[in-house]
Amino acid sequence: MTRIDARFAALKAEGKKAFVAYIMAGDPDIETSLAVMKGMPAAGVDVIELGMPFTDPMADGPTIQLAGQRALDGGQTLQKTLDMVAEFRKTDDVTPIVMMGYYNPIYNRGSEKFVADALKAGVDGLIVVDLPPEEDAELCIPAKNAGLNFIRLATPTTDDKRLPKVLQNTSGFVYYVSVTGITGSQAAQAGDVGPEVARIKASTDLPVVVGFGISTPEAARTIAGVADGCVVGSAIVKLVGEGKSPAEVLARVAELAAGAHSA
């Protein structure tokens, strides 16, 4: 059982929904992003998604694109992102960490080496948005065999024919993308999301969390109310981009987490 599995089991036993928070590693520098990351558990974050900066983040809107560029301009690398996880693990061996990003940096490092290094650093799961199920042999299966959860995205266009393929080697949880398009582009609607979550849950025992388009505590509450949890990314990353201090960012994270936990 991974930390992700354990966290969702504990939340289910408590009758609570998960609050998943995303930040970009190294944005605007390692010190700031690590301070935010270290403060997240106390702010109510159940699972941390740590973005791997990449030059061509095709699923991300301007807010996260700019965050990745700031991180890269500051010298952030895949190794430094893994080092952030290792540093976090010195004081927290419980909170699940999911690394989220694109395959190119991992391919450049070598999949086997990346999986070994990620496990050593203390990573629990991976979301690699540009690796479809047809490419599972590249990273998904080696990661699963090594003990890392490989979390797949399902979207409004994932129909009943495609869904079994998407779920095939998924573990940890299913990430349902609430809107068509890029991150931060439009608001998620519980009325649209609820039936889709139910459709996915009819085909899997995995928790289903919903991301994209959630930017307020109220939205976190309503979306988490029709799923097993919610993900907030752009709304947090935007505050970092505005130059807010880690304390100010974490205060907003706590408000968002409280919204999700009240669902």
Side-chain angles (χ1 to χ4, degrees):
M1 179 179 281
T2 66
R3 292 184 187 91
I4 296 169
D5 298 328
R7 179 56 54 93
F8 275 99
L11 287 167
K12 185 176 181 179
E14 296 168 17
K16 291 177 65 176
K17 301 302 178 76
F19 179 66
V20 183
Y22 172 98
I23 58 168
M24 179 66 72
D27 174 33
D29 51 61
I30 287 180
E31 293 75 16
T32 302
S33 58
L34 186 58
V36 173
M37 185 182 181
K38 285 185 172 181
M40 280 183 159
V45 175
D46 298 300
V47 179
I48 296 171
E49 270 187 34
L50 188 62
M52 298 180 277
F54 178 53
T55 53
D56 188 23
M58 62 184 181
D60 294 309
T63 297
I64 292 179
Q65 284 187 31
L66 288 169
Q69 196 58 56
R70 288 192 298 267
L72 291 169
D73 289 346
Q76 189 71 7
T77 63
L78 182 54
Q79 182 58 53
K80 289 180 179 179
T81 302
L82 291 168
D83 291 344
M84 280 182 63
V85 177
E87 184 65 29
F88 178 90
R89 285 283 175 240
K90 290 179 180 178
T91 55
D92 187 322
D93 195 40
V94 177
T95 305
I97 296 173
V98 176
M99 287 181 65
M100 182 173 185
Y102 300 83
Y103 186 48
N104 290 56
I106 296 170
Y107 176 80
N108 187 55
R109 191 181 190 89
S111 292
E112 287 188 17
K113 178 171 172 50
F114 171 76
V115 167
D117 292 345
L119 278 171
K120 183 179 179 182
V123 175
D124 304 292
L126 303 173
I127 300 175
V128 184
V129 298
D130 55 349
L131 268 186
E134 287 75 14
E135 304 297 335
D136 275 356
E138 287 283 326
L139 181 64
C140 173
I141 292 172
K144 282 189 65 179
N145 289 344
L148 287 172
N149 289 131
F150 199 88
I151 296 144
R152 190 83 67 191
L153 304 182
T155 75
T157 60
T158 306
D159 60 20
D160 289 339
K161 182 178 179 181
R162 180 65 174 169
L163 185 60
K165 190 74 172 176
V166 169
L167 296 174
Q168 186 173 282
N169 290 308
T170 300
S171 62
F173 61 91
V174 178
Y175 187 135
Y176 179 69
V177 176
S178 64
V179 298
T180 53
I182 53 177
T183 57
S185 59
Q186 52 188 306
Q189 302 296 326
D192 297 330
V193 169
E196 289 298 294
V197 170
R199 182 171 68 90
I200 295 167
K201 289 181 75 66
S203 298
T204 181
D205 293 329
L206 291 171
V208 179
V209 301
V210 177
F212 287 46
I214 303 167
S215 60
T216 67
E218 177 62 18
R221 184 187 67 79
T222 57
I223 296 299
V226 298
D228 295 304
C230 68
V231 186
V232 177
S234 295
I236 298 169
V237 172
K238 184 172 182 285
L239 296 175
V240 177
E242 291 171 352
K244 304 294 186 185
S245 69
E248 290 173 308
V249 175
L250 290 166
R252 184 57 174 171
V253 170
E255 293 174 354
L256 291 159
H261 290 151
S262 67

